Amino acid sequence: MLNNSGMITVADTKNKYIFWDIDGTLAAYRFNDHVGDPNRTNNGMSLEEIEKGIFLERLPSKFMQRVVSECQAKQNIIMSHCQVQKEMDDKNLWLDKYYPNITERILTFENIPKYESILAYCKNKNISLKDCIFIDDVLAHLRKAEQMGIKSYHISSFLDWNL
C-alpha cells in the first residue's frame, strides 16, 4: 500500500537500513541558547563551544530513542556531519551513552555530502538503495539524497509515530 500521508510507520521502516542524522533528528538542534553559531560557522556550535565539549551536554530525544528501538530496521546507522575531530570524538561518546545499540556510524566532515557517504557505504556493503532510508532535518540533504535514489524522510514524518 502506498503511504501518501507523509508520516512514516513501522511498515515503512521494517527490515530497512536506516541512516539517522543526529543534530535536529536524534537530538534537538540548539546550543547555548542559539541555533546558529554566533561566529558564523556552518554548525550550531562554535569551535570554542566544541572544544569545551558542549555536545556532551545535550540530551537525546526520548521520543526518537523509542522510534529507533521500535522501527524494526535491519540495521540502524548514524550519518552525521562534523566540523572538527573533537566534535566527531564527542559525538561518538554521546552515541555510546544514548544510542549504544547503533554501532555502525558514518561521521564525516561537512565538505562530504551525506548522500555520497550513504552511496559509498551501500556500494561497499552491497546494499540495494531500495532497502535504504535516510532521515534528516535538513531539506537540502534530503532532496539531494532522493535525487540519488535514496528514500528520504524529514524528521517531521515521525510526529505521529505509532498512533
Side-chain angles (χ1 to χ4, degrees):
M1 180 175 175
L2 187 60
N3 179 356
N4 288 321
S5 70
M7 296 299 166
I8 193 167
T9 67
V10 172
D12 299 308
T13 59
K14 187 175 183 176
N15 294 320
K16 299 294 184 184
Y17 294 86
I18 305 178
F19 295 83
W20 300 93
D21 172 50
I22 299 173
D23 304 294
T25 303
L26 298 181
Y29 191 88
R30 190 161 184 87
F31 300 91
N32 275 347
D33 204 28
H34 58 79
V35 294
D37 170 24
N39 297 324
R40 305 206 193 293
T41 61
N42 291 330
N43 198 310
M45 302 174 280
S46 69
L47 293 175
E48 181 180 317
E49 289 170 327
I50 291 169
E51 286 306 314
K52 290 180 179 178
I54 192 169
F55 192 85
L56 297 174
E57 297 175 20
R58 298 175 82 182
L59 293 176
S61 162
K62 291 192 182 306
F63 178 76
M64 290 309 296
Q65 283 179 313
R66 191 183 104 215
V67 169
V68 169
S69 72
E70 293 177 358
C71 71
Q72 299 180 29
K74 181 173 274 190
Q75 185 171 21
N76 289 301
I77 304 154
I78 296 297
M79 174 66 264
S80 185
H81 274 155
C82 301
Q83 291 183 79
V84 293
Q85 187 63 47
K86 169 76 168 137
E87 180 181 1
M88 203 173 282
D89 296 342
D90 285 355
K91 282 185 175 182
N92 272 313
L93 291 171
W94 187 88
L95 288 163
D96 289 345
K97 182 175 182 177
Y98 295 113
Y99 291 91
N101 293 334
I102 305 179
T103 56
E104 196 70 19
R105 301 168 184 174
I106 305 169
L107 301 176
T108 65
F109 295 106
E110 293 178 334
N111 63 328
I112 301 169
K114 289 183 177 183
Y115 75 88
E116 283 185 10
S117 296
I118 294 170
L119 291 172
Y121 180 90
C122 291
K123 182 178 181 183
N124 184 44
K125 302 280 186 177
N126 200 26
I127 298 169
S128 171
L129 292 183
K130 71 176 181 55
D131 295 325
C132 295
I133 297 174
F134 173 46
I135 290 102
D136 204 305
D137 62 313
V138 178
L139 290 176
H141 295 318
L142 296 169
R143 283 187 197 113
K144 190 61 180 173
E146 281 218 338
Q147 289 171 357
M148 303 307 292
I150 304 163
K151 185 169 210 148
S152 301
Y153 289 92
H154 187 269
I155 185 62
S156 63
S157 296
F158 289 88
L159 292 175
D160 290 327
W161 179 258
N162 280 348
L163 283 180

CSV table of all heavy atoms in Angstrom, one decimal, residues 25-28 59-66 94 99:
chain,number,residue,atom,x,y,z
A,25,THR,N,17.7,15.7,14.7
A,25,THR,CA,16.9,14.5,14.5
A,25,THR,C,16.9,13.6,15.7
A,25,THR,O,15.8,13.3,16.3
A,25,THR,CB,17.5,13.7,13.2
A,25,THR,OG1,17.5,14.6,12.1
A,25,THR,CG2,16.7,12.4,12.9
A,26,LEU,N,18.0,13.1,16.1
A,26,LEU,CA,18.1,12.3,17.3
A,26,LEU,C,18.2,13.1,18.6
A,26,LEU,O,18.0,12.6,19.7
A,26,LEU,CB,19.2,11.2,17.3
A,26,LEU,CG,19.1,10.2,16.1
A,26,LEU,CD1,20.3,9.2,16.2
A,26,LEU,CD2,17.8,9.5,16.1
A,27,ALA,N,18.6,14.4,18.4
A,27,ALA,CA,18.7,15.3,19.5
A,27,ALA,C,18.3,16.7,19.0
A,27,ALA,O,18.4,17.0,17.8
A,27,ALA,CB,20.1,15.4,20.0
A,28,ALA,N,17.8,17.5,19.8
A,28,ALA,CA,17.4,18.9,19.4
A,28,ALA,C,18.6,19.6,18.9
A,28,ALA,O,19.8,19.4,19.3
A,28,ALA,CB,16.8,19.6,20.6
A,59,LEU,N,21.0,16.3,25.6
A,59,LEU,CA,20.2,15.2,25.9
A,59,LEU,C,19.6,14.7,24.6
A,59,LEU,O,19.3,15.5,23.7
A,59,LEU,CB,19.1,15.5,26.9
A,59,LEU,CG,19.6,15.9,28.3
A,59,LEU,CD1,18.4,16.3,29.2
A,59,LEU,CD2,20.3,14.8,29.0
A,60,PRO,N,19.4,13.4,24.5
A,60,PRO,CA,18.7,12.8,23.3
A,60,PRO,C,17.2,13.1,23.4
A,60,PRO,O,16.7,13.3,24.4
A,60,PRO,CB,19.0,11.3,23.4
A,60,PRO,CG,19.0,11.1,24.9
A,60,PRO,CD,19.7,12.3,25.5
A,61,SER,N,16.6,13.0,22.2
A,61,SER,CA,15.1,13.0,22.2
A,61,SER,C,14.7,11.6,22.7
A,61,SER,O,15.0,10.6,22.0
A,61,SER,CB,14.6,13.2,20.7
A,61,SER,OG,13.3,12.8,20.6
A,62,LYS,N,14.0,11.6,23.8
A,62,LYS,CA,13.4,10.3,24.3
A,62,LYS,C,12.5,9.7,23.3
A,62,LYS,O,12.4,8.5,23.1
A,62,LYS,CB,12.8,10.5,25.6
A,62,LYS,CG,13.8,10.8,26.7
A,62,LYS,CD,13.3,10.8,28.1
A,62,LYS,CE,14.2,11.1,29.1
A,62,LYS,NZ,15.5,10.4,29.1
A,63,PHE,N,11.7,10.5,22.6
A,63,PHE,CA,10.8,10.1,21.6
A,63,PHE,C,11.5,9.3,20.5
A,63,PHE,O,11.2,8.2,20.1
A,63,PHE,CB,10.0,11.2,21.0
A,63,PHE,CG,9.0,10.8,19.9
A,63,PHE,CD1,7.8,10.2,20.2
A,63,PHE,CD2,9.3,11.1,18.6
A,63,PHE,CE1,7.0,9.8,19.2
A,63,PHE,CE2,8.5,10.7,17.6
A,63,PHE,CZ,7.3,10.1,17.9
A,64,MET,N,12.6,9.9,20.0
A,64,MET,CA,13.4,9.3,18.9
A,64,MET,C,14.1,8.1,19.4
A,64,MET,O,14.3,7.1,18.6
A,64,MET,CB,14.3,10.3,18.3
A,64,MET,CG,13.6,11.4,17.5
A,64,MET,SD,12.4,10.8,16.3
A,64,MET,CE,13.5,9.9,15.2
A,65,GLN,N,14.5,8.0,20.7
A,65,GLN,CA,15.1,6.8,21.2
A,65,GLN,C,14.1,5.7,21.1
A,65,GLN,O,14.4,4.5,20.7
A,65,GLN,CB,15.5,7.0,22.6
A,65,GLN,CG,16.8,7.7,22.8
A,65,GLN,CD,17.2,7.9,24.3
A,65,GLN,OE1,16.3,8.3,25.1
A,65,GLN,NE2,18.4,7.6,24.6
A,66,ARG,N,12.8,6.0,21.4
A,66,ARG,CA,11.7,5.0,21.3
A,66,ARG,C,11.5,4.6,19.8
A,66,ARG,O,11.4,3.4,19.5
A,66,ARG,CB,10.4,5.6,21.8
A,66,ARG,CG,9.4,4.5,22.0
A,66,ARG,CD,8.1,5.0,22.5
A,66,ARG,NE,7.2,5.1,21.3
A,66,ARG,CZ,6.3,6.0,21.1
A,66,ARG,NH1,6.1,6.9,21.9
A,66,ARG,NH2,5.6,5.9,20.0
A,94,TRP,N,28.8,10.5,22.9
A,94,TRP,CA,27.4,10.7,23.1
A,94,TRP,C,26.6,9.6,22.6
A,94,TRP,O,25.7,9.1,23.3
A,94,TRP,CB,27.0,12.0,22.4
A,94,TRP,CG,25.6,12.5,22.7
A,94,TRP,CD1,25.2,13.3,23.7
A,94,TRP,CD2,24.5,12.3,21.9
A,94,TRP,NE1,23.9,13.6,23.6
A,94,TRP,CE2,23.4,12.9,22.4
A,94,TRP,CE3,24.2,11.5,20.7
A,94,TRP,CZ2,22.1,12.9,21.9
A,94,TRP,CZ3,23.0,11.5,20.2
A,94,TRP,CH2,21.9,12.2,20.8
A,99,TYR,N,22.7,6.0,22.5
A,99,TYR,CA,22.3,5.1,21.4
A,99,TYR,C,23.3,4.0,21.3
A,99,TYR,O,23.9,3.7,20.2
A,99,TYR,CB,22.1,5.8,20.1
A,99,TYR,CG,21.0,6.8,20.0
A,99,TYR,CD1,21.1,8.1,20.4
A,99,TYR,CD2,19.7,6.3,19.6
A,99,TYR,CE1,20.0,9.0,20.4
A,99,TYR,CE2,18.6,7.2,19.6
A,99,TYR,CZ,18.8,8.5,20.0
A,99,TYR,OH,17.7,9.4,20.0
